[in-house]
């Protein structure tokens, strides 16, 4: 059985995403990703997610995300009761495909950014943020 380059990259990206995401992806996370990607494969690379390794207060965790050539970026907090955090959309006149904001995290968890690129492909990056005092009362 031979795989094309695209199939090999899709299999590798799926394996990488599965390895990065927690063992069991919640139904809400999967639904958010499927809604954003339309069920397409998500690769890695091309997305820069900046988040602190340790956040003392989960109420205001600063993050920034950048994906040159992206038309939209979805940010998810995978351990929150409501994982969808933000969706940034970039038009053709956008000078820079980056955004920054502060998010609330319920506790230590993975934060993921998935970018829809101009060619219709998807890329992602995740970061683990250790929260000492959770932002949702924890």
């Amino acid at each position: 059985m031979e795989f094309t380059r695209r199939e090999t990259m899709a299999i590798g990206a799926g394996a990488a995403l599965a390895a990065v995401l927690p063992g069991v992806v919640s139904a809400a996370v999967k639904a958010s990703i499927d809604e954003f990607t339309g069920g397409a494969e998500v690769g890695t690379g091309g997305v820069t997610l900046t988040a602190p390794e340790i956040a003392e207060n989960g109420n205001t965790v600063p993050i920034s995300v950048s994906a040159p050539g992206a038309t939209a970026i979805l940010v998810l907090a995978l351990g929150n009761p409501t994982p969808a955090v933000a969706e940034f959309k970039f038009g053709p006149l956008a000078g820079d495909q980056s955004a920054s904001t502060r998010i609330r995290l319920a506790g230590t968890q993975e934060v993921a950014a998935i970018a829809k690129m101009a060619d219709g492909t998807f890329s992602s990056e995740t970061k683990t943020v250790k929260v000492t005092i959770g932002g949702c009362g924890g």
Side-chain angles (χ1 to χ4, degrees):
M1 175 179 234
E2 290 186 24
F3 291 106
T4 64
R5 181 175 178 249
R6 175 169 276 196
E7 290 170 334
T8 303
M9 290 180 66
I11 292 169
L17 187 60
V20 172
L21 296 177
V24 177
V25 175
S26 74
V29 170
K30 182 168 178 15
S32 295
I33 293 172
D34 286 346
E35 181 179 335
F36 184 70
T37 64
E41 296 292 329
V42 179
T44 57
V47 180
T48 303
L49 174 62
T50 304
E53 186 174 323
I54 299 173
E56 290 186 21
N57 185 349
N59 278 319
T60 57
V61 179
I63 65 160
S64 64
V65 63
S66 174
T71 58
I73 300 173
L74 176 68
V75 178
L76 300 165
L78 304 183
N80 274 1
T82 305
V85 172
E87 183 176 339
F88 303 100
K89 295 185 178 183
F90 305 99
L93 299 179
D96 187 15
Q97 290 80 30
S98 64
S100 61
T101 187
R102 293 182 181 272
I103 64 174
R104 178 179 284 185
L105 297 177
T108 298
Q109 61 185 278
E110 300 279 333
V111 176
I114 301 172
K116 180 179 181 181
M117 308 309 276
D119 63 0
T121 60
F122 295 89
S123 294
S124 69
E125 182 173 347
T126 60
K127 295 280 184 184
T128 300
V129 179
K130 296 176 185 173
V131 177
T132 55
I133 300 173
C136 298

